[in-house]
Amino acid sequence: MKKLIGDPGAVVADALVGIEAALPQVRVDHENRVVLRATPKDEGKVALVSGGGSGHEPLHGGFVGFGMLDAACAGEVFTSPTPDQVLAATTAVDRGAGVLHIVKNYTGDVMNFEMAAELAEGASVASVLVHDDVAVEDSTYTAGRRGVGLTVFLEKIAGAAAEEGRPLDEVVRVAEKVSAQGRSMGVALTSGTVPAAGRPTFDLPDDEMEVGVGIHGEPGRHREKLAPAPRIAEMLVEPVLADLPSGGEPVIAMLNGMGGSPLLELYLMYGEVAKLLEKAGVSVARTLVGNYITSLDMAGCSLTLLRADDELLRLWDAPVETPGLRWGR
Amino acid sequence: MKKLIGDPGAVVADALVGIEAALPQVRVDHENRVVLRATPKDEGKVALVSGGGSGHEPLHGGFVGFGMLDAACAGEVFTSPTPDQVLAATTAVDRGAGVLHIVKNYTGDVMNFEMAAELAEGASVASVLVHDDVAVEDSTYTAGRRGVGLTVFLEKIAGAAAEEGRPLDEVVRVAEKVSAQGRSMGVALTSGTVPAAGRPTFDLPDDEMEVGVGIHGEPGRHREKLAPAPRIAEMLVEPVLADLPSGGEPVIAMLNGMGGSPLLELYLMYGEVAKLLEKAGVSVARTLVGNYITSLDMAGCSLTLLRADDELLRLWDAPVETPGLRWGR
C-alpha cells in the first residue's frame, strides 16, 4: 500500500507536527512524543495517561481532551513507548490526585508503563490493563489476551469518572469494571503496511481473511475464504457473546474499522451485527461505528461489546471533547 | 480491495439498515433511500437537502443533523440519486420557509436535482452548486469544475445560517459566498473499488499517483512517480492558492482523506500543508483533518481551502451535531 509520507523513519515525528498544527486543543511535547491537553485539567483531579505504538489512530492521541485522556505517549509505529516517554507524560499531567495508566496488554507496553510508574517518585500512580480480545490466549506480543477496542471505552468511562473529581481508587474501580465487562474480536481482509517497512506486515491470499486478527496483524484463530458480511458478523458476535459476562444489562457496541475499509462497509457490517444481537436477546444501549482503533490501512473491522450497568452508561454519556470522540458539551 | 459486504447489488440498502440501527439521531426512509433527522427542525426554518452517489461517506448521510442537513439522498455507489428520491426528501423536510438543494457539479446530479425542484410544486426550492475542484475544467461526469471537498463547508455554513432562522434568500447568499470563496485539489495513490464491480475503478501503476483525481476516480491533471509528502503538499497547495480568491481573510483548511489512507498519514500531510501555507502568508483560522468526503477505499487525500470572512467564520463555529461533524453544543 502506497504512503503519504516523507522520511519513512520520521513518520511519527512528522505526524505530531501536523497534529499540533491542526488541533489547537492539544499541545505536543515533541522531545518526548507526548500529546497533552492545551489546557490542563483542574488541580486535585485524577489524570489519565495512555499510549502505545503509533498506527492505531485516533487511538491514543485523538482521545486527549476534556472527559478522556490527559496525555498520550506515541511510540514508533507498532512499538511500545519508552519508560522515559511515559514518565514525562505522568509528571506533566499529575494534578496532585494521582495518575491512572491505561495499558493495553502487550509485553513491551506493560513493562515500560511499570518502569515509568516506579520512576515517577512524586506521583501516586495506578494502572489498569486492557485485555479484551477473545480471539486467542497469548499471541505474538502478549501473554494472556491482547488489549484492543475496549481501550476506547475504558479511556472514555474512566476519563468521565476522573473529570467528576472522583479519587484515584474510585477511578481505578470503574476502570477495572470496564476491563472486566468488555470483550472484542476482529477480522482482517488485508494487512496494513508499516511505513518504515514499506510492504504488508503479513501475507493474506486474495480470497482469504484472518479471523481474530490482532491490531498489529498478529495471527488470529484461523484463516478461511472471504465470506459475505452476514457470515463475518457471526464470526465476531458469537465468540464475543460466548465470553462476555452474562447479565441483564444492555451493552455499548462498537463496530470499529481497522483503517482501510470504507465507512459504508462499516455501517453495513453494523447492520448485520445488530440483527444478530437482537436475535440473541442482547439490548444495545449505545453504538459507535467508525475508525477508532485502527491498524494503519488494514481492511477489516472489529466488534467490541461492553456490558454496561447504569453507572457505566451514565459515565459513557458524560460530556467528552476530544478530536476523536465528542459529545454532550 | 476486499469488501465487507453481502449482496454486491444491495450494498447501499444494507448500509442504510446499519445507519438506522447505529444512529438514533437519524431516521431512514428506506423506500426512497433518504436519511432524515429523527427530530425535524422547527417550523418556519429553511431546510437543506443534499445527496449524491454513495461511496463518499460520511458525506452526505453523516452530515444530517442539527446545524447541517435536514435530509440526504443516497444514490447507488457513484451514481446520482433519482429525481424521485430528491423530491421525497424535499417534501419531507419542507418546514414552510423553503428548501435549499446543495448540489455537487456532476451532470446527473444537476439534472436530477433540477427535475425534483420542478416537481416539488408546493415548496419554494433554491439550489446552490458546488464546483470547487481546480484540477480540471470538464471531466468524466462534469461540465465545468467538479464539486468535491467544499461541499462539507457549504453544508456546515449554510446549515448554520438556516438554523439561525435566516430566510431562504439569505441562506442562498451565504451558500453562494462559500461556493465562490473555496477551492480544492486531490491526489490518489490507489483507486477505490466499487463493490458491485469488485475491481479497482482505474489502474494505477505501483509507483505512480494521479494528481488532481476526482472523487469517483476521474482523471486529474497528470500522473507522475509517487512523491514524498512535502512534494505532494506542494502539488495540492499551489494550484489551490493560484485559484483561490485573494484577500486578507484567513482560510478554513481541510486535509481530507479519500478513505484508504490512515489518519497518521493525513496528519503528517497536514503538517506539510501548514508549512507551505505559512510560507505563502496564508493564515489558517480553522482546520479539519480526517475522512469527510471519501472515494470508497481510495488511498490519497485532498486539500480544501475556504477564504472566510467574519460572517463565514462565525457560522462555521456555530454548534453542529451530526454523526460526521460535531461541536459546540
Side-chain angles (χ1 to χ4, degrees):
Chain A
M1 182 62 86
K2 292 184 268 185
K3 297 275 159 191
L4 296 162
I5 59 172
D7 173 2
V11 167
V12 174
D14 289 348
L16 287 171
V17 169
I19 285 170
E20 183 162 52
L23 301 171
Q25 64 269 49
V26 304
R27 68 181 181 87
V28 176
D29 170 352
H30 291 282
E31 191 192 333
N32 291 299
R33 299 197 185 166
V34 178
V35 178
L36 300 140
R37 298 189 192 186
T39 308
K41 74 175 14 150
D42 294 341
E43 194 70 35
K45 287 188 176 180
V46 171
L48 269 60
V49 172
S50 193
S54 294
H56 307 301
E57 291 67 27
L59 186 92
H60 297 272
F63 298 135
V64 171
F66 180 86
M68 272 181 101
L69 299 179
D70 295 271
C73 309
E76 285 300 315
V77 173
F78 293 177
T79 303
S80 303
T82 65
D84 281 356
Q85 287 182 274
V86 180
L87 176 62
T90 304
T91 308
V93 301
D94 182 15
R95 309 297 286 159
V99 178
L100 178 66
H101 286 175
I102 298 173
V103 187
K104 301 196 299 302
N105 190 30
Y106 300 98
T107 310
D109 290 35
V110 171
M111 197 173 66
N112 292 355
F113 271 89
E114 262 178 22
M115 215 175 293
E118 282 166 23
L119 293 168
E121 288 175 352
S124 172
V125 178
S127 180
V128 62
L129 199 67
V130 193
H131 49 122
D132 55 315
D133 188 341
V134 301
V136 290
E137 279 289 332
D138 306 331
S139 177
T140 316
Y141 310 107
T142 321
R145 288 194 312 245
R146 300 175 297 218
V148 290
L150 190 64
T151 317
V152 179
F153 291 17
L154 202 149
E155 293 179 357
K156 167 67 186 83
I157 290 173
E163 215 68 66
E164 283 185 353
R166 298 197 196 182
L168 184 58
D169 59 348
E170 259 294 292
V171 177
V172 168
R173 183 189 60 77
V174 165
E176 295 287 4
K177 182 154 77 170
V178 172
S179 184
Q181 298 284 118
R183 297 291 187 274
S184 298
M185 175 93 174
V187 61
L189 307 191
T190 67
S191 168
T193 297
V194 175
R199 50 184 164 63
T201 305
F202 59 95
D203 290 318
L204 193 56
D206 275 351
D207 59 346
E208 289 187 14
M209 61 187 179
E210 178 81 39
V211 181
V213 74
I215 56 171
H216 312 94
E218 306 98 307
R221 290 187 173 187
H222 69 283
R223 287 181 175 189
E224 64 174 82
K225 294 287 173 200
L226 184 58
R231 175 70 193 115
I232 295 176
E234 288 173 2
M235 291 179 209
L236 301 179
V237 170
E238 282 172 11
V240 168
L241 284 185
D243 211 74
L244 192 71
S246 56
E249 299 94 358
V251 300
I252 303 177
M254 175 169 73
L255 195 292
N256 170 66
M258 292 295 200
S261 287
L263 200 51
L264 189 73
E265 297 176 28
L266 302 182
Y267 275 110
L268 185 153
M269 278 300 302
Y270 183 70
E272 300 300 335
V273 165
K275 286 177 208 165
L276 296 175
L277 292 176
E278 192 179 354
K279 215 162 119 182
V282 177
S283 160
V284 180
R286 306 288 185 274
T287 308
L288 277 185
V289 176
N291 291 304
Y292 295 99
I293 170 171
T294 60
S295 183
L296 294 164
D297 37 23
M298 181 190 278
C301 65
S302 64
L303 173 69
T304 298
L305 298 181
L306 169 65
R307 188 76 73 179
D309 60 15
D310 288 346
E311 177 183 45
L312 297 189
L313 277 181
R314 199 179 55 70
L315 291 168
W316 177 260
D317 288 341
V320 60
E321 193 171 335
T322 72
L325 215 59
R326 188 165 186 156
W327 59 67
R329 199 195 188 192
Chain B
M1 181 62 85
K2 292 184 268 186
K3 298 275 159 191
L4 296 162
I5 58 171
D7 173 1
V11 168
V12 174
D14 289 349
L16 287 170
V17 170
I19 285 171
E20 183 162 54
L23 301 172
Q25 63 269 49
V26 303
R27 70 181 179 87
V28 176
D29 170 353
H30 291 284
E31 190 192 333
N32 292 299
R33 298 197 185 168
V34 178
V35 178
L36 300 141
R37 297 190 192 187
T39 309
K41 75 176 12 150
D42 295 342
E43 194 70 35
K45 287 189 176 179
V46 171
L48 269 60
V49 172
S50 194
S54 294
H56 307 300
E57 292 67 27
L59 186 93
H60 297 272
F63 298 136
V64 171
F66 180 86
M68 272 181 102
L69 299 179
D70 294 271
C73 309
E76 285 299 315
V77 173
F78 292 178
T79 304
S80 303
T82 64
D84 282 356
Q85 287 182 276
V86 180
L87 176 61
T90 303
T91 308
V93 300
D94 183 16
R95 308 298 285 157
V99 178
L100 178 65
H101 286 176
I102 298 173
V103 187
K104 301 196 298 304
N105 189 31
Y106 299 97
T107 311
D109 290 35
V110 171
M111 196 173 65
N112 292 353
F113 271 89
E114 262 177 22
M115 214 175 292
E118 281 166 24
L119 293 169
E121 290 175 350
S124 172
V125 178
S127 179
V128 63
L129 199 66
V130 193
H131 49 124
D132 54 315
D133 189 341
V134 301
V136 288
E137 279 290 331
D138 306 331
S139 178
T140 315
Y141 310 108
T142 321
R145 287 194 314 244
R146 301 174 297 217
V148 290
L150 190 64
T151 317
V152 179
F153 291 16
L154 202 149
E155 293 179 358
K156 168 66 186 85
I157 289 173
E163 214 68 65
E164 283 185 353
R166 298 199 197 181
L168 184 58
D169 60 348
E170 259 295 291
V171 177
V172 169
R173 183 189 59 78
V174 166
E176 294 288 5
K177 182 154 76 167
V178 173
S179 184
Q181 297 283 117
R183 297 291 186 274
S184 299
M185 174 93 175
V187 61
L189 307 191
T190 67
S191 167
T193 297
V194 175
R199 51 185 161 61
T201 305
F202 58 96
D203 289 318
L204 194 56
D206 276 351
D207 59 346
E208 289 187 15
M209 59 187 180
E210 178 80 39
V211 180
V213 72
I215 56 170
H216 312 94
E218 306 97 308
R221 290 187 174 187
H222 68 282
R223 287 180 174 190
E224 63 175 82
K225 293 288 173 200
L226 184 58
R231 175 72 194 114
I232 294 176
E234 288 173 1
M235 291 178 209
L236 301 179
V237 170
E238 283 172 11
V240 168
L241 283 185
D243 211 73
L244 192 71
S246 57
E249 299 95 359
V251 299
I252 304 177
M254 174 170 73
L255 195 289
N256 170 66
M258 292 295 200
S261 286
L263 199 51
L264 189 71
E265 297 176 29
L266 302 182
Y267 275 110
L268 184 153
M269 277 300 302
Y270 183 70
E272 300 299 335
V273 165
K275 284 177 210 166
L276 295 175
L277 292 176
E278 191 179 355
K279 216 161 120 183
V282 176
S283 161
V284 181
R286 307 287 185 275
T287 307
L288 278 184
V289 176
N291 291 304
Y292 294 99
I293 170 170
T294 60
S295 183
L296 295 164
D297 38 22
M298 181 191 279
C301 65
S302 64
L303 173 68
T304 299
L305 297 181
L306 169 66
R307 188 75 73 179
D309 60 14
D310 287 347
E311 179 184 43
L312 298 188
L313 277 180
R314 199 180 55 70
L315 291 167
W316 178 260
D317 288 340
V320 59
E321 195 171 334
T322 72
L325 214 59
R326 187 166 185 153
W327 59 68
R329 199 195 187 194

